[in-house]
Amino acid sequence: MPELSSAHNELEHERTYVAGLYRRLDELRAEKQRQLDQVRRTIAAGSHQNRSERDAFATMYEDRLAQLNAVDDRLVFGRLDLDSGEERYIGRIGLSTEDLQQLMVDWRAPEAGTFYQATAFERMGVRRRRHLILSSRDVAAIEDDVLDASMLTDSGSLQGEGALLAALNSRRTGQMSDIVGTIQAEQDRIIRAPLPGVVVVQGGPGTGKTAVALHRAAYLLYTHRERLKSAGVLLVGPTDAFMKYIERVLPSLGETGVVMASVGSLMPGIHAEPEADEAVAELKGRLEMAAVIKRAVANRQRIPAENRKLNVEGSILTLTPRQVRRARDRARATGKPHNEARATFVKIMLRELTEQLTEQLEESSGAGNTADRSYLAEDVRTSRDVRIALNLAWMPMTPEKLLRDLFSKPAQLEAAAPHLTDAERFLMQRPEDATWTEADVPLLDEAAELLGELDASAGRNAAEKEQERRRDLANAERALENVSASLADAGVDGVLTAEALAEHNVVADARLTAAERASSDRTWAYGHVVVDEAQELSPMHWRLLMRKCPVKSFTVVGDIAQTSSTAGSHSWQQALEPFVGDRWQLEELTVNYRTPAQIAEAAVRMANAAGLVVSAPKAVRDGRWDPVVNRASELVPALLDALPKELEVAADGLLAVIAPVRLIGEVRAAVRKVYGDRVGLGAGGLGQDIVVITPREAKGLEFDVVIVLEPAEMLKPDSVRIGDLYVAMTRPTQRLRLIATGEVPEGIEG
């Protein structure tokens, strides 16, 4: 059996080489851990520069160690046999020996590109492409793509199921896996597109849009490391469940420095919920809301209707509308945000009121009185009447306070949005303590931009600030008692003062990576932004994101046909033209890797029958089952009857029940009553292989089996768009069942 012997030898050869790669990985881990431990044992002593350098080294070692830990699974996945005779291994990161002999090429490096791009018609110098299928740290199987016809008789070439099909047929786990070992040529071309400008990746369900977006982020960080390391990359997704679903992908690709945020968490300190009323979401998403927020801020700079009397230490001063208007106009002329311009307004008003008080006292005491009047400025500044009057005219304001007042006080909304109808303004009204929504996030950001920073120390005198400093110092002194044991454990001698400890805490911020600093800084300017499910964003959301990347470098990923929000986009031109004109390029993904052909075709037929024009990417595989449609008299009993059969099909994978919003509570409770803790949210979790979710929550996720409840309801006007049912039907990788007590939309059954 010479062929079997040759195959065995090839497998053993790869196992030996891969074992060597893992030994080198472990050596590098141990080296970085030693270096990190040594830095941590070094106390913050010496100059400020020395401490900063120490912290920078610690951050560098921590980042490298995190990268080395994250790539352990399927460290290497390919080998190229080149015309030159070279064997080039392709993996998640680059590895070299101590004397810099290359062991493995990072998949993002230019010389790795041929692994994804070479074909039998254009070999690009590649004779054979070998896929290594790993189980833990061992090579379980090998598959060869022979590109050089002269090698077809080579008994060392091994065939298998196909790395791509094996990945597609694997069970879902609730966490997205990377596709680094199975990237296809059309995907690779988009991933490696140049950094500048706006690249729009349009693709139907299952075409790998999200995978392309994530791999592109990793590729750009590798290729443009110097430019993007300090500025960072922001990746935006539709929901928290989606972000949890994809959170492991970038670390597995060797990148740990990307800021990941759902649409509802783009404003630091705010965690917003979906907007319940689509009509309200559409109103708040209009670009004209930027002008509404601007007027709302301007309306908080008020001119009194009449003169106001102010008591300053028994003297009565007069504050006139003319004085306030003049000071307001001069403050506005600075061009500074509201809270910063207020300092100019207050300074002008205090000076004029102090001059008025001085004139009064001089008149009453006689012309020859030359007494020192310098104390009068402090009397005016600390006067309760003056403070109240200036705050009424120009109150310092937070974005949260501005919007709470705007939406809870009809008069303020009418003044800021006179162009809206009474009915539209009524829709937007809500209680002052209402929960923040995703539609509020860009309005809060707009308000923050116009208001500027709120100086917490504004108005405090030097004595108050010194008192606070002393309190902080006392806290630091008490903290010394708790750190003395740590110092001894570290083998450090010497004296650490409270002042040094306080300074060290400030310096420690230098250890934060760019991503960590960016995630808490609303004004951070990113070097590149990746947006997934981008078709759902409102114009105001786009305005927020454009502000976060002034250089307008974007990867925009989505499918217009799947838009389900009334505030979302009808076309990419509509979404992007207000911000970048025609300076964007469209790339399309044409192959459906996720959805079996029978299910994909049913979804397209349904959409077309309902009047929606959708792209119909070609499915790469046929499924074992056609879509199943059940008509039932009672929904929940029919679902509970079908679940055991579908769970058997899912077999260690994931099953999703997708239902209209109005049914979610009832259905989730019924399923939990039978299956208990196995029932989860989003993409599920540890031990949760059943999820009950809405079409919106299902966006971007995938499941082995999907059961869609009351599909006709997802086509009604209150479901916004046909995209809801289209999204729901295209989530499964194996089997689809629909259960309806009413009509079944046309086209589904062929």
Side-chain angles (χ1 to χ4, degrees), residues 419-472:
H419 64 287
L420 295 180
T421 65
D422 291 342
E424 288 173 330
R425 287 196 293 269
F426 180 77
L427 267 179
M428 297 174 74
Q429 289 178 27
R430 67 185 188 196
E432 189 174 358
D433 60 351
T435 302
W436 295 114
T437 69
E438 291 171 359
D440 292 327
V441 169
L443 306 185
L444 287 165
D445 187 78
E446 191 74 24
E449 194 74 10
L450 295 171
L451 292 171
E453 293 297 320
L454 184 64
D455 185 0
S457 66
R460 293 187 300 158
N461 59 32
E464 291 173 325
K465 294 177 182 178
E466 175 61 19
Q467 187 177 9
E468 180 176 321
R469 191 192 73 81
R470 290 180 181 278
R471 284 198 302 269
D472 292 342

Side-chain angles (χ1 to χ4, degrees), residues 579-619:
F579 307 102
V580 297
D582 61 357
R583 297 184 302 279
W584 55 278
Q585 67 180 78
L586 179 67
E587 300 283 356
E588 293 199 57
L589 294 170
T590 62
V591 180
N592 185 339
Y593 300 100
R594 177 209 302 140
T595 318
Q598 299 97 313
I599 297 174
E601 290 165 4
V604 171
R605 287 197 307 268
M606 177 280 302
N608 290 340
L612 181 67
V613 178
V614 299
S615 56
K618 180 177 176 56

Side-chain angles (χ1 to χ4, degrees), residues 78-390:
R79 187 185 97 183
L80 292 174
D81 292 353
L82 306 180
D83 288 342
S84 64
E86 177 189 354
E87 293 180 355
R88 181 181 296 165
Y89 284 83
I90 313 297
R92 297 178 178 278
I93 59 173
L95 285 179
S96 300
T97 63
E98 287 189 32
D99 59 355
L100 302 182
Q101 295 297 310
Q102 189 176 71
L103 298 173
M104 183 172 71
V105 177
D106 191 300
W107 69 274
R108 296 165 289 188
E111 57 266 39
T114 50
F115 184 79
Y116 306 107
Q117 299 158 5
T119 68
F121 299 101
E122 190 172 348
R123 294 195 299 110
M124 305 173 73
V126 177
R127 302 191 70 203
R128 174 170 58 188
R129 173 173 46 227
R130 172 164 287 180
H131 298 270
L132 306 177
I133 294 91
L134 270 61
S135 175
S136 186
R137 291 186 162 201
D138 187 34
V139 181
I142 302 171
E143 177 190 292
D144 286 346
D145 298 332
V146 178
L147 308 184
D148 183 351
S150 66
M151 293 184 68
L152 289 175
T153 58
D154 184 351
S155 61
S157 293
L158 309 174
Q159 303 301 318
E161 175 188 11
L164 176 61
L165 287 177
L168 296 177
N169 288 321
S170 64
R171 297 296 179 181
R172 306 302 103 174
T173 65
Q175 289 279 347
M176 183 179 178
S177 298
D178 62 72
I179 61 166
V180 65
T182 58
I183 293 171
Q184 301 302 293
E186 72 169 6
Q187 297 172 327
D188 186 71
R189 178 174 51 81
I190 297 170
I191 289 168
R192 296 175 190 267
L195 171 65
V198 178
V199 176
V200 177
V201 184
Q202 162 70 36
T207 53
K209 299 183 298 296
T210 297
V212 167
L214 293 168
H215 288 69
R216 176 160 169 76
Y219 170 78
L220 292 176
L221 280 164
Y222 174 88
T223 308
H224 305 278
R225 180 72 63 187
E226 290 306 312
R227 174 174 170 180
L228 294 179
K229 184 177 181 181
S230 58
V233 172
L234 172 66
L235 193 151
V236 180
T239 63
D240 290 340
F242 178 82
M243 304 313 291
K244 182 179 178 182
Y245 174 63
I246 67 172
E247 65 184 358
R248 295 183 185 175
V249 175
L250 281 166
S252 75
L253 296 173
E255 293 299 341
T256 57
V258 176
V259 176
M260 302 175 68
S262 64
V263 172
S265 60
L266 285 171
M267 180 78 176
I270 300 293
H271 194 82
E273 298 179 354
E275 185 71 63
D277 191 327
E278 282 289 340
V280 174
E282 191 276 328
L283 280 170
K284 291 181 179 177
R286 295 177 185 175
L287 207 53
E288 63 200 51
M289 284 302 295
V292 172
I293 301 301
K294 186 174 183 179
R295 280 193 292 271
V297 172
N299 290 345
R300 304 313 288 261
Q301 301 160 8
R302 301 164 177 156
I303 309 297
E306 56 188 16
N307 291 349
R308 180 175 181 137
K309 300 299 182 181
L310 308 176
N311 188 324
V312 178
E313 297 293 329
S315 297
I316 304 301
L317 305 181
T318 301
L319 181 69
T320 69
R322 182 172 177 274
Q323 284 178 304
V324 175
R325 180 177 290 105
R326 185 169 61 242
R328 183 200 65 178
D329 292 346
R330 289 176 62 184
R332 285 179 173 178
T334 65
K336 295 179 179 179
H338 173 91
N339 290 326
E340 297 172 29
R342 181 181 183 272
T344 299
F345 171 79
V346 169
K347 182 178 179 180
I348 294 170
M349 291 307 308
L350 291 178
R351 185 177 68 243
E352 292 193 4
L353 291 172
T354 300
E355 290 172 355
Q356 187 181 146
L357 178 59
T358 301
E359 290 174 2
Q360 280 190 17
L361 293 178
E362 288 179 349
E363 287 177 5
S364 64
S365 61
N369 192 326
T370 59
D372 180 20
R373 309 286 190 189
S374 60
Y375 65 91
L376 296 180
E378 183 66 11
D379 288 348
V380 171
R381 195 188 67 79
T382 58
S383 164
R384 182 174 182 273
D385 279 8
V386 171
R387 291 202 307 271
I388 291 173
L390 297 188

Side-chain angles (χ1 to χ4, degrees), residues 597-740:
Q598 299 97 313
I599 297 174
E601 290 165 4
V604 171
R605 287 197 307 268
M606 177 280 302
N608 290 340
L612 181 67
V613 178
V614 299
S615 56
K618 180 177 176 56
V620 299
R621 63 195 174 107
D622 291 325
R624 294 174 56 191
W625 301 277
D626 290 333
V628 177
V629 178
N630 293 153
R631 290 172 172 82
S633 56
E634 294 183 78
L635 185 69
V636 172
L639 170 64
L640 295 178
D641 181 61
L643 273 171
K645 307 168 193 173
E646 300 303 338
L647 285 169
E648 187 176 338
V649 172
D652 299 323
L654 284 175
L655 181 148
V657 179
I658 304 180
V661 174
R662 73 170 184 88
L663 295 172
I664 285 295
E666 175 190 0
V667 171
R668 190 173 285 154
V671 178
R672 277 183 173 163
K673 187 174 181 179
V674 178
Y675 294 97
D677 292 340
R678 289 177 65 182
V679 182
L681 306 172
L686 189 63
Q688 295 178 322
D689 58 344
I690 307 170
V691 296
V692 182
I693 53 178
T694 66
R696 181 187 184 279
E697 293 168 331
K699 278 189 176 294
L701 307 183
E702 58 184 38
F703 308 92
D704 296 280
V705 175
V706 169
I707 302 176
V708 178
L709 304 183
E710 301 292 19
E713 282 196 31
M714 299 180 190
L715 294 181
K716 289 182 178 179
D718 59 0
S719 288
V720 186
R721 295 190 184 177
I722 299 163
D724 277 351
L725 181 54
Y726 187 61
V727 167
M729 289 181 64
T730 54
R731 298 306 97 194
T733 64
Q734 303 295 333
R735 181 167 159 110
L736 171 68
R737 180 185 292 266
L738 301 99
I739 303 177

